[in-house]
Amino acid sequence: METLKLTDRGWFWPPADELSEAAERIRVRLGDWPCANRAWRICLAAPDAARPNDLIVVIGREVTSDDDAAWRAAGAAIVAAGTDGAALTMPDGRRFALEGTLAEDWLAAFAAFLDCGFEPHDALVLALAWRDGDEMRGDDAWPVDLSRFARVADLPPAPRQPFPACPLRLGLYPVVPSAQWVERVLALGVKTVQLRVKDATPAQLEDEIARAVAAGRRYEARVFVNDYWREAARAGAYGVHLGQEDLDTADLDAIAQAGMRLGLSTHGYYELLRALHYGPSYLAFGAVFPTGTKTLATAPQGLARLERYVRLLGARVPLVAIGGIDAARLPAVLATGVGSVALVSAITAAADPADAVARLQQTFSG
């Protein structure tokens, strides 16, 4: 299988046969993944001329400002490693800092996870979860022990008051554009729903959220509000759903003090660790498949990544799969073991929404 042949593909510069061989040994124990879509080069020493897709590794010393500026201007990223973790700085200045233990084989593991198609920040998370000899302990050596994963550095404290818990399996989870749709799906027996309102005036927004929350109480259902946490708190909503970008601006203490559940979007391992720091009520993972309902900042994740997410976290926190899932794809998604699936157009664009909900519910129960 071509994805397993790393020794002749120039992963390391200067060439490092021992590292390449270790990376290949690790790679064959990680499963069947598509080739990486970029030709990464892990530079073990400063290259004469940095280039795009270079990952320049600096161990045990500070990177000078001149080197940092020159390398990033050339399109290279910098991996600075020490005794207590590692940090990745991308050409655009984004920084991903992790505190944890580095195994002797962490660079080989980093190359192997890059070859599995993971972006550098997620490959680095997985590399820090690697332990020497893991590739000898089974056919699938994928890291699934959360206690071995690094901690995201430099995060603010988690809310003092924990967020209330959700059922571990939230089931069918429609994401709908209006309170009328909330009422419609709850009347069909749905017990978890998200209101995602767009392009509303403040008055319309308040009315939509209040109406949706009232419907949730009437049907004894779980109504989450997307983004608008202040309005959701005033209405007494069951919960809110936020994206990663909202973590920089939302008052998580206020959300917790309002007694609302918190759902957070994640798109990979680094965002997963960042989200877990805040103790959310559930985590959403996506987009699993290509979707036309919103612009994607990351490539579709696929079922193999979802299944490993479930193995890592499925017994710890409720997981919601989202993105491009329809009735035809739902059985394969549920086969990963995920306890909830969010659907949008499979319900709101259906010719007969009542029939669509009934069929989807049957797939969950079957």
Side-chain angles (χ1 to χ4, degrees), residues 92-111:
D92 60 8
R94 286 177 298 150
R95 186 172 183 271
F96 304 90
L98 297 162
E99 296 176 352
T101 302
L102 284 81
E104 185 176 339
D105 277 346
W106 77 273
L107 272 173
F110 185 44

Side-chain angles (χ1 to χ4, degrees), residues 164 205-218 221-225 228-240 254-261:
L205 182 63
E206 294 272 4
D207 180 68
E208 287 287 303
I209 292 175
R211 183 175 164 186
V213 170
R217 294 196 183 105
R218 192 161 62 249
R222 299 173 285 268
V223 176
F224 288 88
V225 176
Y228 296 104
W229 60 269
R230 294 181 183 86
E231 294 83 355
R234 286 197 290 271
Y238 178 86
V240 292
I255 293 171
Q257 289 165 14
M260 293 189 295
R261 284 81 179 164

Side-chain angles (χ1 to χ4, degrees), residues 158-192:
R160 293 180 293 275
Q161 178 175 322
F163 294 103
C166 287
L168 193 59
R169 307 185 74 83
L170 289 166
L172 178 64
Y173 187 175
V175 179
V176 298
S178 68
Q180 183 179 16
W181 266 107
V182 170
E183 294 167 339
R184 192 173 183 180
V185 298
L186 295 186
L188 295 172
V190 168
K191 289 300 182 183
T192 307

Side-chain angles (χ1 to χ4, degrees), residues 19-107:
L19 266 176
S20 295
E21 291 167 3
E24 189 168 312
R25 287 198 307 272
I26 292 169
R27 178 64 184 83
V28 298
R29 292 292 186 263
L30 298 181
D32 187 3
W33 297 85
C35 281
N37 57 13
R38 280 189 270 179
W40 300 108
R41 184 176 71 157
I42 300 174
C43 299
L44 308 174
D48 295 332
R51 65 191 191 191
N53 297 333
D54 275 356
L55 297 163
I56 302 173
V57 178
V58 179
I59 298 178
R61 65 177 178 84
E62 294 289 329
V63 179
T64 69
S65 58
D66 288 344
D67 282 342
D68 177 88
W71 292 340
R72 291 198 293 111
I78 303 163
V79 181
T83 57
D84 57 354
L88 169 74
T89 304
M90 298 299 289
D92 60 8
R94 286 177 298 150
R95 186 172 183 271
F96 304 90
L98 297 162
E99 296 176 352
T101 302
L102 284 81
E104 185 176 339
D105 277 346
W106 77 273
L107 272 173

Side-chain angles (χ1 to χ4, degrees), residues 4-360:
L4 305 185
K5 303 298 182 184
L6 303 183
T7 49
D8 299 320
R9 286 170 51 193
W11 276 96
F12 296 101
W13 186 92
D17 291 344
E18 186 176 343
L19 266 176
S20 295
E21 291 167 3
E24 189 168 312
R25 287 198 307 272
I26 292 169
R27 178 64 184 83
V28 298
R29 292 292 186 263
L30 298 181
D32 187 3
W33 297 85
C35 281
N37 57 13
R38 280 189 270 179
W40 300 108
R41 184 176 71 157
I42 300 174
C43 299
L44 308 174
D48 295 332
R51 65 191 191 191
N53 297 333
D54 275 356
L55 297 163
I56 302 173
V57 178
V58 179
I59 298 178
R61 65 177 178 84
E62 294 289 329
V63 179
T64 69
S65 58
D66 288 344
D67 282 342
D68 177 88
W71 292 340
R72 291 198 293 111
I78 303 163
V79 181
T83 57
D84 57 354
L88 169 74
T89 304
M90 298 299 289
D92 60 8
R94 286 177 298 150
R95 186 172 183 271
F96 304 90
L98 297 162
E99 296 176 352
T101 302
L102 284 81
E104 185 176 339
D105 277 346
W106 77 273
L107 272 173
F110 185 44
F113 289 116
L114 286 170
D115 189 60
C116 292
F118 285 85
E119 290 297 311
H121 57 287
D122 288 328
L124 186 62
V125 169
L126 290 163
L128 265 66
W130 189 261
R131 296 294 180 268
D132 295 328
D134 276 357
E135 74 276 16
M136 307 302 293
R137 299 189 179 106
D139 290 337
D140 186 347
W142 201 268
V144 291
D145 181 352
L146 190 61
S147 68
R148 289 175 20 175
F149 277 68
R151 187 178 74 85
V152 176
D154 305 324
L155 291 177
R160 293 180 293 275
Q161 178 175 322
F163 294 103
C166 287
L168 193 59
R169 307 185 74 83
L170 289 166
L172 178 64
Y173 187 175
V175 179
V176 298
S178 68
Q180 183 179 16
W181 266 107
V182 170
E183 294 167 339
R184 192 173 183 180
V185 298
L186 295 186
L188 295 172
V190 168
K191 289 300 182 183
T192 307
V193 64
Q194 182 183 136
L195 174 66
R196 183 190 287 171
V197 178
K198 298 179 181 178
D199 304 321
T201 67
Q204 290 170 333
L205 182 63
E206 294 272 4
D207 180 68
E208 287 287 303
I209 292 175
R211 183 175 164 186
V213 170
R217 294 196 183 105
R218 192 161 62 249
Y219 287 98
E220 298 183 345
R222 299 173 285 268
V223 176
F224 288 88
V225 176
N226 184 271
D227 285 349
Y228 296 104
W229 60 269
R230 294 181 183 86
E231 294 83 355
R234 286 197 290 271
Y238 178 86
V240 292
H241 180 92
L242 301 179
Q244 287 279 317
E245 66 282 359
D246 299 313
L247 289 174
D248 297 323
T249 57
D251 187 338
L252 300 185
D253 276 306
I255 293 171
Q257 289 165 14
M260 293 189 295
R261 284 81 179 164
L262 175 67
L264 291 176
S265 294
T266 66
H267 308 86
Y269 281 93
Y270 183 89
E271 290 188 356
L272 175 155
L273 294 181
R274 185 182 184 224
L276 283 177
H277 167 76
Y278 297 103
S281 307
Y282 76 75
L283 290 177
F285 174 80
V288 179
F289 302 106
T291 175
T293 59
K294 64 187 300 186
T295 302
L296 297 181
T298 57
Q301 302 295 304
L303 292 173
R305 296 192 187 195
L306 173 61
E307 189 270 338
R308 282 160 174 78
Y309 239 51
V310 172
R311 284 166 56 190
L312 179 66
L313 291 177
R316 178 186 178 96
V317 63
L319 296 179
V320 178
I322 188 170
I325 302 169
D326 57 19
R329 288 169 166 164
L330 182 59
V333 174
L334 292 176
T336 67
V338 72
S340 182
V341 179
L343 299 101
V344 186
S345 56
I347 294 172
T348 59
D352 185 343
D355 181 67
V357 167
R359 290 177 181 274
L360 292 167

